[in-house]
């Protein structure tokens, strides 16, 4: 009986959400500080509709494209997280694994394991994002 209780507790701890998500990124991020200024002047929805990518704790979002962050694991030796995601665009759903690194209080870098479609470009899920103070998700 004790062994069964131990196994039951172990399964529950594995199935529970990781506490690392609590200290994950907060706020809304865009790919430049200029885009943040535009989001304040106009709306975040207008920037999304124009094809810009928005990063938040939920994932990446753009017009006809999104990546939902499913599992977030905090690194112990760096200000980084490993993130698994399910991404979708019209007619195509695919998994991705990303590193999310806090470079400064206002800048985050994403690196995707997915190869770029065109070798001259970075992966669609990789790049730098900047915190947009005063901007909220729609």
């Amino acid at each position: 009986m004790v062994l069964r209780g131990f196994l039951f507790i172990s399964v529950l701890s594995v199935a529970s959400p990781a506490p690392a998500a609590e200290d994950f990124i907060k706020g809304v991020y865009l790919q430049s500080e200029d885009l943040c200024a535009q989001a304040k002047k106009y709306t975040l929805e207008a920037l999304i509709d124009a094809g810009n990518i928005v990063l938040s704790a939920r994932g990446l979002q753009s017009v006809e494209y999104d990546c939902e962050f499913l599992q977030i694991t905090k690194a112990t030796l760096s200000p980084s997280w490993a993130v698994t995601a399910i991404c979708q665009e019209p007619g195509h759903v695919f998994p991705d694994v990303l590193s999310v690194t806090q470079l400064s209080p206002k800048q985050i870098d994403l690196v995707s394991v997915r190869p770029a479609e065109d070798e001259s470009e970075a992966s669609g899920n990789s790049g730098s994002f900047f915190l947009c103070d005063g901007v909220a998700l729609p």
Side-chain angles (χ1 to χ4, degrees):
M1 292 297 228
V2 173
L3 182 59
R4 283 186 189 165
F6 175 75
L7 291 175
F8 181 71
I9 291 169
S10 294
V11 169
L12 279 180
S13 66
V14 170
S16 298
E22 291 176 15
D23 66 347
F24 192 51
I25 62 173
K26 308 264 188 281
V28 172
Y29 293 77
L30 289 166
Q31 291 178 305
S32 75
E33 292 172 332
D34 182 53
L35 288 172
C36 288
Q38 289 179 40
K40 287 180 187 177
K41 185 176 181 181
Y42 305 109
T43 66
L44 187 58
E45 288 175 325
L47 289 174
I48 292 170
D49 290 345
N52 294 291
I53 298 173
V54 175
L55 168 66
S56 71
R58 290 191 272 175
L60 296 166
Q61 180 183 355
S62 186
V63 65
E64 296 187 357
Y65 181 81
D66 69 82
C67 287
E68 177 185 357
F69 292 169
L70 301 175
Q71 186 176 31
I72 301 163
T73 305
K74 175 85 169 113
T76 55
L77 299 177
S78 68
S80 300
W81 297 265
V83 177
T84 57
I86 293 293
C87 304
Q88 60 184 339
E89 55 193 20
H92 186 60
V93 175
F94 57 93
D96 199 358
V97 177
L98 307 112
S99 66
V100 177
T101 302
Q102 185 96 42
L103 296 180
S104 74
K106 293 197 170 242
Q107 185 179 354
I108 288 179
D109 269 7
L110 265 60
V111 178
S112 169
V113 298
R114 288 183 55 82
E117 300 277 325
D118 178 354
E119 290 183 17
S120 66
E121 297 179 10
S123 169
N125 289 340
S126 295
S128 290
F129 289 81
F130 297 86
L131 178 63
C132 300
D133 290 322
V135 176
L137 290 174

